[in-house]
Amino acid sequence: METKGAGRSPWWPLAVWCAGRAALLLFVFRVYVFPGPDVTSDVSVIYRGWYEVLRQGTFPLDDVTWQYPPAAALAILSPAALPFLSYAHAFFVLACLCDAVVLALLLYAGRRSGRSARGAWVWVAGVPLLGPTVYARYDLMVTAVAVAALLAGARHPRALGALAALGALVKVWPALLLVGAAGRRAWVSAAVTGAGVALLFTVSMPGAFAFLTFQRDRGTEVESLGALVFHVARHFGWRGEVLLNYGSIEFLGPWVNVVSTAALALTGAAFGWLLLWRLRARRLEGPALLADAALTAVLLFTVTSRVISPQYLVWLVGLAAVCLTHRATRMGPPALMIVAASFLTVLEFPLGFSHVVLSDGYGVTLLVLRNGLLVAATLTAARRLWRATVPPGPAAPFPPRPARTTRARVSS
Protein backbone atom coordinates (compact mmCIF):
# COMPACT_ATOMS: atom_id res chain seq x y z
CA MET A 1 0.00 0.00 0.00
CA GLU A 2 2.86 2.39 0.76
CA THR A 3 5.33 2.80 -2.08
CA LYS A 4 8.10 5.39 -2.34
CA GLY A 5 5.99 7.62 -4.53
CA ALA A 6 2.43 7.10 -3.39
CA GLY A 7 3.23 6.48 0.25
CA ARG A 8 5.11 9.74 0.93
CA SER A 9 3.38 12.20 -1.35
CA PRO A 10 0.02 13.56 -0.11
CA TRP A 11 -1.19 14.07 -3.67
CA TRP A 12 -1.99 10.44 -4.41
CA PRO A 13 -4.31 9.87 -1.42
CA LEU A 14 -5.79 13.34 -1.99
CA ALA A 15 -6.56 12.55 -5.64
CA VAL A 16 -8.15 9.20 -4.78
CA TRP A 17 -10.09 10.88 -1.94
CA CYS A 18 -11.49 13.49 -4.34
CA ALA A 19 -12.66 10.84 -6.79
CA GLY A 20 -14.33 8.69 -4.15
CA ARG A 21 -15.99 11.58 -2.36
CA ALA A 22 -17.26 13.08 -5.61
CA ALA A 23 -19.09 9.80 -6.19
CA LEU A 24 -20.57 9.89 -2.67
CA LEU A 25 -21.80 13.47 -3.17
CA LEU A 26 -23.38 12.59 -6.50
CA PHE A 27 -25.31 9.81 -4.76
CA VAL A 28 -26.49 11.79 -1.72
CA PHE A 29 -27.46 14.75 -3.91
CA ARG A 30 -29.50 12.25 -5.94
CA VAL A 31 -27.75 13.08 -9.22
CA TYR A 32 -27.37 9.33 -9.49
CA VAL A 33 -29.58 6.94 -7.56
CA PHE A 34 -27.78 4.38 -5.44
CA PRO A 35 -29.58 0.99 -5.51
CA GLY A 36 -31.65 -0.05 -2.51
CA PRO A 37 -33.57 2.03 0.05
CA ASP A 38 -33.09 5.80 0.04
CA VAL A 39 -30.41 6.33 2.71
CA THR A 40 -30.82 10.12 2.62
CA SER A 41 -34.34 10.10 4.10
CA ASP A 42 -32.93 10.06 7.63
CA VAL A 43 -31.48 13.52 6.99
CA SER A 44 -34.33 15.04 5.00
CA VAL A 45 -37.09 13.68 7.26
CA ILE A 46 -35.86 12.58 10.70
CA TYR A 47 -32.94 14.98 11.22
CA ARG A 48 -34.91 17.85 9.73
CA GLY A 49 -37.78 17.13 12.12
CA TRP A 50 -35.41 17.11 15.11
CA TYR A 51 -33.86 20.34 13.81
CA GLU A 52 -37.21 22.12 13.92
CA VAL A 53 -37.80 20.96 17.52
CA LEU A 54 -34.28 21.78 18.71
CA ARG A 55 -34.57 25.28 17.29
CA GLN A 56 -37.33 25.88 19.81
CA GLY A 57 -34.92 25.26 22.70
CA THR A 58 -36.01 21.76 23.71
CA PHE A 59 -35.13 18.17 22.88
CA PRO A 60 -37.56 15.87 20.99
CA LEU A 61 -39.11 14.51 24.21
CA ASP A 62 -42.01 12.79 22.47
CA ASP A 63 -39.91 11.07 19.81
CA VAL A 64 -38.55 7.66 20.87
CA THR A 65 -36.17 7.69 17.88
CA TRP A 66 -34.16 10.44 19.63
CA GLN A 67 -31.65 8.19 21.39
CA TYR A 68 -28.59 10.39 21.54
CA PRO A 69 -26.72 12.37 24.21
CA PRO A 70 -27.44 16.10 24.42
CA ALA A 71 -24.47 17.38 22.39
CA ALA A 72 -25.84 15.49 19.38
CA ALA A 73 -28.01 18.58 19.04
CA LEU A 74 -24.92 20.40 17.75
CA ALA A 75 -24.63 18.00 14.81
CA ILE A 76 -28.34 18.21 14.03
CA LEU A 77 -28.31 22.02 14.19
CA SER A 78 -25.07 22.39 12.22
CA PRO A 79 -26.72 22.87 8.77
CA ALA A 80 -27.89 26.26 10.03
CA ALA A 81 -24.30 27.38 9.35
CA LEU A 82 -25.07 27.14 5.62
CA PRO A 83 -28.43 28.96 5.32
CA PHE A 84 -28.09 29.35 1.54
CA LEU A 85 -28.55 25.56 1.13
CA SER A 86 -31.45 23.29 1.97
CA TYR A 87 -31.14 21.42 5.25
CA ALA A 88 -30.22 18.10 3.64
CA HIS A 89 -27.75 19.57 1.17
CA ALA A 90 -26.06 21.60 3.92
CA PHE A 91 -25.74 18.46 6.04
CA PHE A 92 -24.10 16.53 3.19
CA VAL A 93 -21.62 19.35 2.54
CA LEU A 94 -20.69 19.53 6.23
CA ALA A 95 -20.24 15.75 6.34
CA CYS A 96 -17.85 16.01 3.38
CA LEU A 97 -15.95 18.82 5.12
CA CYS A 98 -15.54 16.66 8.23
CA ASP A 99 -14.31 13.86 5.97
CA ALA A 100 -11.72 16.25 4.52
CA VAL A 101 -10.62 17.36 7.99
CA VAL A 102 -9.99 13.73 8.99
CA LEU A 103 -7.91 13.17 5.85
CA ALA A 104 -5.87 16.32 6.55
CA LEU A 105 -5.20 15.22 10.14
CA LEU A 106 -4.12 11.75 9.04
CA LEU A 107 -1.86 13.09 6.28
CA TYR A 108 -0.22 15.52 8.69
CA ALA A 109 0.26 12.86 11.35
CA GLY A 110 1.65 10.40 8.80
CA ARG A 111 4.54 12.72 7.91
CA ARG A 112 6.06 12.70 11.40
CA SER A 113 8.99 10.57 12.44
CA GLY A 114 7.96 7.00 13.16
CA ARG A 115 4.64 7.48 11.40
CA SER A 116 3.16 6.14 8.19
CA ALA A 117 0.82 7.16 5.35
CA ARG A 118 -1.04 3.85 5.70
CA GLY A 119 -3.57 5.48 8.02
CA ALA A 120 -4.59 8.03 5.39
CA TRP A 121 -5.01 5.25 2.83
CA VAL A 122 -7.25 3.26 5.19
CA TRP A 123 -9.48 6.33 5.48
CA VAL A 124 -9.41 7.08 1.76
CA ALA A 125 -10.38 3.51 0.86
CA GLY A 126 -12.59 2.52 3.79
CA VAL A 127 -15.12 5.36 3.85
CA PRO A 128 -16.46 5.11 0.26
CA LEU A 129 -16.77 1.33 0.66
CA LEU A 130 -19.65 2.09 3.05
CA GLY A 131 -21.57 3.84 0.28
CA PRO A 132 -23.63 7.04 0.56
CA THR A 133 -24.88 6.08 4.04
CA VAL A 134 -21.68 7.52 5.47
CA TYR A 135 -22.66 11.07 4.39
CA ALA A 136 -26.28 10.62 5.42
CA ARG A 137 -25.60 10.09 9.15
CA TYR A 138 -23.86 12.30 11.68
CA ASP A 139 -21.44 9.54 12.73
CA LEU A 140 -18.76 10.92 10.43
CA MET A 141 -18.81 14.18 12.41
CA VAL A 142 -18.24 12.49 15.76
CA THR A 143 -15.58 10.27 14.18
CA ALA A 144 -13.71 13.44 13.18
CA VAL A 145 -13.72 14.51 16.84
CA ALA A 146 -12.45 11.06 17.91
CA VAL A 147 -9.64 11.06 15.32
CA ALA A 148 -8.54 14.53 16.45
CA ALA A 149 -8.59 13.39 20.09
CA LEU A 150 -6.39 10.35 19.47
CA LEU A 151 -3.91 12.18 17.27
CA ALA A 152 -3.56 14.92 19.90
CA GLY A 153 -3.53 12.54 22.84
CA ALA A 154 0.10 11.41 22.76
CA ARG A 155 1.43 14.95 23.26
CA HIS A 156 -1.56 16.73 24.74
CA PRO A 157 -3.48 14.49 27.16
CA ARG A 158 -5.75 17.32 28.27
CA ALA A 159 -6.88 17.81 24.68
CA LEU A 160 -7.53 14.08 24.46
CA GLY A 161 -9.71 14.21 27.56
CA ALA A 162 -11.66 17.29 26.48
CA LEU A 163 -12.33 16.01 22.95
CA ALA A 164 -13.22 12.51 24.17
CA ALA A 165 -15.73 13.98 26.63
CA LEU A 166 -17.25 16.20 23.95
CA GLY A 167 -17.48 13.24 21.58
CA ALA A 168 -19.09 11.10 24.29
CA LEU A 169 -21.77 13.74 24.74
CA VAL A 170 -22.44 13.53 21.00
CA LYS A 171 -22.56 9.72 20.71
CA VAL A 172 -21.25 7.96 23.86
CA TRP A 173 -18.62 5.67 22.26
CA PRO A 174 -15.74 8.22 22.21
CA ALA A 175 -15.56 7.82 25.99
CA LEU A 176 -13.74 4.56 25.18
CA LEU A 177 -10.85 6.55 23.74
CA LEU A 178 -9.62 7.05 27.30
CA VAL A 179 -9.19 3.35 28.05
CA GLY A 180 -5.49 3.43 27.15
CA ALA A 181 -4.72 6.86 28.62
CA ALA A 182 -1.89 6.81 31.17
CA GLY A 183 -1.81 9.37 33.95
CA ARG A 184 -4.55 11.57 35.34
CA ARG A 185 -4.52 14.62 33.08
CA ALA A 186 -6.68 13.14 30.33
CA TRP A 187 -9.19 11.73 32.82
CA VAL A 188 -9.44 14.98 34.80
CA SER A 189 -9.85 17.00 31.62
CA ALA A 190 -12.58 14.62 30.42
CA ALA A 191 -14.44 14.83 33.74
CA VAL A 192 -14.33 18.63 33.85
CA THR A 193 -15.31 19.06 30.19
CA GLY A 194 -18.05 16.44 30.33
CA ALA A 195 -19.57 17.83 33.52
CA GLY A 196 -19.47 21.38 32.21
CA VAL A 197 -21.07 20.62 28.85
CA ALA A 198 -23.68 18.31 30.40
CA LEU A 199 -24.61 20.95 32.97
CA LEU A 200 -24.90 23.58 30.24
CA PHE A 201 -27.37 21.45 28.27
CA THR A 202 -29.29 20.42 31.39
CA VAL A 203 -30.00 23.99 32.49
CA SER A 204 -30.60 25.38 29.00
CA MET A 205 -32.72 22.72 27.28
CA PRO A 206 -35.37 20.42 28.84
CA GLY A 207 -34.96 16.66 28.37
CA ALA A 208 -31.21 16.55 27.83
CA PHE A 209 -30.93 12.98 29.15
CA ALA A 210 -34.29 11.53 28.15
CA PHE A 211 -32.41 9.43 25.59
CA LEU A 212 -31.34 7.04 28.35
CA THR A 213 -34.90 5.72 28.72
CA PHE A 214 -35.32 5.27 24.99
CA GLN A 215 -32.02 3.36 24.70
CA ARG A 216 -33.04 1.04 27.55
CA ASP A 217 -36.14 -0.07 25.67
CA ARG A 218 -34.43 -1.06 22.42
CA GLY A 219 -34.60 -4.63 21.12
CA THR A 220 -32.40 -6.71 18.81
CA GLU A 221 -31.69 -4.98 15.51
CA VAL A 222 -31.66 -7.21 12.42
CA GLU A 223 -28.02 -6.54 11.53
CA SER A 224 -26.55 -7.28 14.96
CA LEU A 225 -24.63 -10.36 15.98
CA GLY A 226 -27.47 -11.58 18.19
CA ALA A 227 -29.94 -11.21 15.33
CA LEU A 228 -28.32 -14.16 13.56
CA VAL A 229 -30.10 -16.39 16.09
CA PHE A 230 -33.48 -15.28 14.77
CA HIS A 231 -32.44 -15.17 11.11
CA VAL A 232 -31.66 -18.88 11.41
CA ALA A 233 -34.62 -19.61 13.70
CA ARG A 234 -37.07 -18.25 11.10
CA HIS A 235 -36.15 -21.19 8.88
CA PHE A 236 -37.17 -23.57 11.69
CA GLY A 237 -40.57 -22.13 12.50
CA TRP A 238 -39.83 -19.17 14.78
CA ARG A 239 -42.93 -16.96 14.72
CA GLY A 240 -41.52 -13.52 15.49
CA GLU A 241 -41.72 -10.41 13.33
CA VAL A 242 -39.38 -7.84 11.76
CA LEU A 243 -40.73 -4.35 12.38
CA LEU A 244 -39.63 -0.73 12.62
CA ASN A 245 -39.16 -0.22 16.36
CA TYR A 246 -37.40 2.65 18.17
CA GLY A 247 -36.02 3.97 14.93
CA SER A 248 -34.50 0.76 13.56
CA ILE A 249 -35.61 -2.52 12.00
CA GLU A 250 -35.74 -5.00 14.88
CA PHE A 251 -36.85 -8.51 15.68
CA LEU A 252 -39.92 -8.69 17.91
CA GLY A 253 -41.37 -11.88 19.35
CA PRO A 254 -40.54 -14.89 21.56
CA TRP A 255 -37.04 -15.03 23.07
CA VAL A 256 -36.00 -11.61 21.74
CA ASN A 257 -35.72 -10.26 25.27
CA VAL A 258 -33.44 -13.18 26.18
CA VAL A 259 -31.06 -12.46 23.29
CA SER A 260 -31.11 -8.72 24.06
CA THR A 261 -30.27 -9.45 27.69
CA ALA A 262 -27.47 -11.77 26.58
CA ALA A 263 -26.07 -8.98 24.41
CA LEU A 264 -26.06 -6.63 27.40
CA ALA A 265 -24.31 -9.32 29.44
CA LEU A 266 -21.66 -9.69 26.73
CA THR A 267 -21.15 -5.93 26.75
CA GLY A 268 -20.67 -6.11 30.50
CA ALA A 269 -18.16 -8.93 30.05
CA ALA A 270 -16.30 -6.85 27.45
CA PHE A 271 -16.00 -3.95 29.88
CA GLY A 272 -14.86 -6.43 32.52
CA TRP A 273 -12.10 -7.63 30.17
CA LEU A 274 -11.03 -4.02 29.57
CA LEU A 275 -10.87 -3.41 33.31
CA LEU A 276 -8.81 -6.57 33.81
CA TRP A 277 -6.48 -5.49 31.01
CA ARG A 278 -5.94 -2.09 32.64
CA LEU A 279 -5.16 -3.74 35.98
CA ARG A 280 -2.74 -6.26 34.46
CA ALA A 281 -1.09 -4.05 31.83
CA ARG A 282 2.46 -3.01 32.69
CA ARG A 283 3.50 -1.32 29.46
CA LEU A 284 1.12 1.57 28.90
CA GLU A 285 3.66 3.77 27.16
CA GLY A 286 4.35 3.87 23.44
CA PRO A 287 3.25 5.96 20.47
CA ALA A 288 0.64 3.49 19.19
CA LEU A 289 -0.80 2.13 22.43
CA LEU A 290 -3.46 4.79 22.96
CA ALA A 291 -4.94 4.24 19.49
CA ASP A 292 -4.58 0.44 19.64
CA ALA A 293 -6.45 0.31 22.96
CA ALA A 294 -9.18 2.63 21.67
CA LEU A 295 -9.78 0.51 18.57
CA THR A 296 -9.93 -2.66 20.65
CA ALA A 297 -12.41 -1.12 23.09
CA VAL A 298 -14.72 0.19 20.38
CA LEU A 299 -14.61 -3.15 18.55
CA LEU A 300 -15.68 -4.89 21.78
CA PHE A 301 -18.48 -2.38 22.25
CA THR A 302 -19.66 -2.75 18.64
CA VAL A 303 -19.79 -6.53 18.28
CA THR A 304 -21.59 -7.02 21.62
CA SER A 305 -24.17 -4.30 20.95
CA ARG A 306 -27.84 -5.00 20.32
CA VAL A 307 -27.49 -2.80 17.24
CA ILE A 308 -24.83 -2.80 14.51
CA SER A 309 -25.94 -0.11 12.11
CA PRO A 310 -23.93 0.41 8.89
CA GLN A 311 -22.67 3.81 10.03
CA TYR A 312 -20.96 2.20 13.04
CA LEU A 313 -18.29 1.00 10.62
CA VAL A 314 -17.10 4.58 10.06
CA TRP A 315 -16.06 4.69 13.74
CA LEU A 316 -13.95 1.60 13.23
CA VAL A 317 -12.45 2.81 9.95
CA GLY A 318 -11.47 6.11 11.60
CA LEU A 319 -9.84 4.45 14.61
CA ALA A 320 -8.10 1.86 12.42
CA ALA A 321 -6.74 4.72 10.30
CA VAL A 322 -5.29 6.41 13.40
CA CYS A 323 -3.68 3.13 14.46
CA LEU A 324 -2.01 2.70 11.09
CA THR A 325 -0.48 6.17 11.17
CA HIS A 326 1.90 4.54 13.69
CA ARG A 327 4.52 2.19 12.33
CA ALA A 328 4.58 0.49 15.73
CA THR A 329 0.89 -0.41 15.71
CA ARG A 330 -0.19 -4.00 16.22
CA MET A 331 -3.58 -3.42 14.60
CA GLY A 332 -2.68 -4.08 10.96
CA PRO A 333 -4.68 -7.33 10.58
CA PRO A 334 -7.77 -5.98 12.42
CA ALA A 335 -7.65 -2.86 10.22
CA LEU A 336 -7.73 -4.98 7.05
CA MET A 337 -10.66 -6.98 8.43
CA ILE A 338 -12.53 -3.74 9.17
CA VAL A 339 -12.01 -2.48 5.61
CA ALA A 340 -13.26 -5.82 4.25
CA ALA A 341 -16.26 -5.67 6.61
CA SER A 342 -17.03 -2.18 5.27
CA PHE A 343 -17.39 -3.56 1.74
CA LEU A 344 -19.65 -6.36 2.98
CA THR A 345 -21.67 -3.76 4.89
CA VAL A 346 -22.61 -1.83 1.76
CA LEU A 347 -23.60 -5.12 0.13
CA GLU A 348 -25.84 -5.77 3.15
CA PHE A 349 -27.17 -2.20 3.43
CA PRO A 350 -28.53 -0.71 1.34
CA LEU A 351 -27.90 -3.05 -1.59
CA GLY A 352 -29.13 -6.29 -0.03
CA PHE A 353 -31.25 -5.06 2.84
CA SER A 354 -34.44 -6.64 1.52
CA HIS A 355 -32.69 -10.01 1.67
CA VAL A 356 -31.61 -9.33 5.26
CA VAL A 357 -35.17 -8.44 6.29
CA LEU A 358 -36.46 -11.63 4.67
CA SER A 359 -33.68 -13.73 6.28
CA ASP A 360 -33.07 -15.50 2.99
CA GLY A 361 -29.84 -17.33 2.20
CA TYR A 362 -28.13 -14.37 0.56
CA GLY A 363 -28.98 -11.96 3.36
CA VAL A 364 -27.93 -14.35 6.12
CA THR A 365 -24.68 -15.14 4.31
CA LEU A 366 -23.79 -11.44 4.08
CA LEU A 367 -24.47 -10.97 7.78
CA VAL A 368 -22.48 -14.04 8.78
CA LEU A 369 -19.50 -12.87 6.73
CA ARG A 370 -19.66 -9.22 7.86
CA ASN A 371 -20.27 -9.98 11.55
CA GLY A 372 -17.77 -12.82 11.42
CA LEU A 373 -15.08 -10.42 10.20
CA LEU A 374 -15.93 -7.99 13.00
CA VAL A 375 -15.71 -10.75 15.61
CA ALA A 376 -12.39 -11.91 14.15
CA ALA A 377 -11.07 -8.34 14.17
CA THR A 378 -12.17 -7.94 17.80
CA LEU A 379 -10.54 -11.15 19.01
CA THR A 380 -7.35 -10.44 17.06
CA ALA A 381 -7.12 -6.87 18.38
CA ALA A 382 -7.75 -7.98 21.98
CA ARG A 383 -5.16 -10.74 21.77
CA ARG A 384 -2.52 -8.46 20.25
CA LEU A 385 -3.17 -5.69 22.78
CA TRP A 386 -2.95 -8.13 25.70
CA ARG A 387 0.26 -9.78 24.50
CA ALA A 388 1.90 -6.39 23.91
CA THR A 389 1.16 -4.93 27.33
CA VAL A 390 0.59 -7.73 29.86
CA PRO A 391 3.63 -9.67 31.10
CA PRO A 392 3.44 -13.42 30.38
CA GLY A 393 2.60 -15.81 33.19
CA PRO A 394 0.21 -15.41 36.13
CA ALA A 395 0.73 -12.44 38.41
CA ALA A 396 1.97 -13.45 41.85
CA PRO A 397 -0.49 -12.20 44.48
CA PHE A 398 2.21 -12.17 47.22
CA PRO A 399 6.02 -11.87 46.98
CA PRO A 400 7.98 -15.10 47.54
CA ARG A 401 9.54 -15.67 50.96
CA PRO A 402 12.65 -17.80 50.39
CA ALA A 403 14.26 -16.92 53.76
CA ARG A 404 11.59 -18.72 55.78
CA THR A 405 11.87 -21.82 53.57
CA THR A 406 15.64 -21.90 54.09
CA ARG A 407 15.35 -21.71 57.87
CA ALA A 408 12.77 -24.48 57.88
CA ARG A 409 15.11 -26.77 55.93
CA VAL A 410 17.99 -26.07 58.29
CA SER A 411 15.94 -26.80 61.42
CA SER A 412 14.71 -30.07 59.96
Side-chain angles (χ1 to χ4, degrees), residues 75-344:
I76 303 303
L77 291 169
S78 62
L82 302 176
F84 49 89
L85 294 175
S86 68
Y87 179 87
H89 289 177
F91 186 93
F92 302 145
V93 169
L94 290 172
C96 186
L97 287 175
C98 289
D99 187 354
V101 167
V102 173
L103 177 66
L105 291 172
L106 293 169
L107 287 173
Y108 176 77
R111 297 176 69 85
R112 296 179 186 172
S113 176
R115 299 294 187 97
S116 169
R118 293 180 303 163
W121 280 109
V122 167
W123 183 255
V124 167
V127 169
L129 287 179
L130 291 168
T133 305
V134 75
Y135 276 9
R137 306 290 187 272
Y138 81 82
D139 295 80
L140 199 150
M141 299 175 180
V142 70
T143 300
V145 176
V147 168
L150 285 177
L151 291 176
R155 297 184 178 184
H156 307 286
R158 290 189 179 91
L160 164 66
L163 289 171
L166 179 60
L169 286 169
V170 177
K171 205 162 188 181
V172 181
W173 66 266
L176 296 169
L177 304 181
L178 296 170
V179 71
R184 299 180 180 178
R185 287 180 293 176
W187 292 91
V188 171
S189 176
V192 172
T193 303
V197 175
L199 180 62
L200 178 63
F201 276 104
T202 300
V203 299
S204 62
M205 297 178 69
F209 291 93
F211 78 98
L212 293 172
T213 300
F214 300 150
Q215 278 286 351
R216 180 192 63 197
D217 295 333
R218 294 196 74 159
T220 298
E221 191 256 348
V222 294
E223 297 160 283
S224 66
L225 187 63
L228 288 171
V229 174
F230 301 110
H231 283 296
V232 174
R234 292 176 86 181
H235 293 274
F236 294 92
W238 183 71
R239 298 298 182 183
E241 298 177 292
V242 177
L243 297 173
L244 179 64
N245 187 53
Y246 288 98
S248 63
I249 306 297
E250 298 180 353
F251 279 114
L252 299 175
W255 302 101
V256 171
N257 61 330
V258 174
V259 172
S260 296
T261 302
L264 291 174
L266 284 174
T267 300
F271 281 114
W273 183 89
L274 287 172
L275 177 60
L276 179 63
W277 169 74
R278 279 292 308 214
L279 293 174
R280 293 285 306 277
R282 293 294 178 267
R283 293 186 283 270
L284 286 177
E285 300 296 333
L289 179 65
L290 183 68
D292 288 358
L295 176 61
T296 302
V298 176
L299 275 167
L300 285 165
F301 172 83
T302 301
V303 299
T304 60
S305 175
R306 293 172 292 173
V307 180
I308 304 181
S309 294
Q311 61 268 23
Y312 289 15
L313 271 293
V314 75
W315 316 345
L316 302 176
V317 170
L319 298 184
V322 175
C323 289
L324 265 66
T325 62
H326 299 276
R327 294 187 184 276
T329 186
R330 297 165 181 86
M331 297 294 135
L336 290 176
M337 295 178 201
I338 289 167
V339 172
S342 298
F343 176 66
L344 288 169

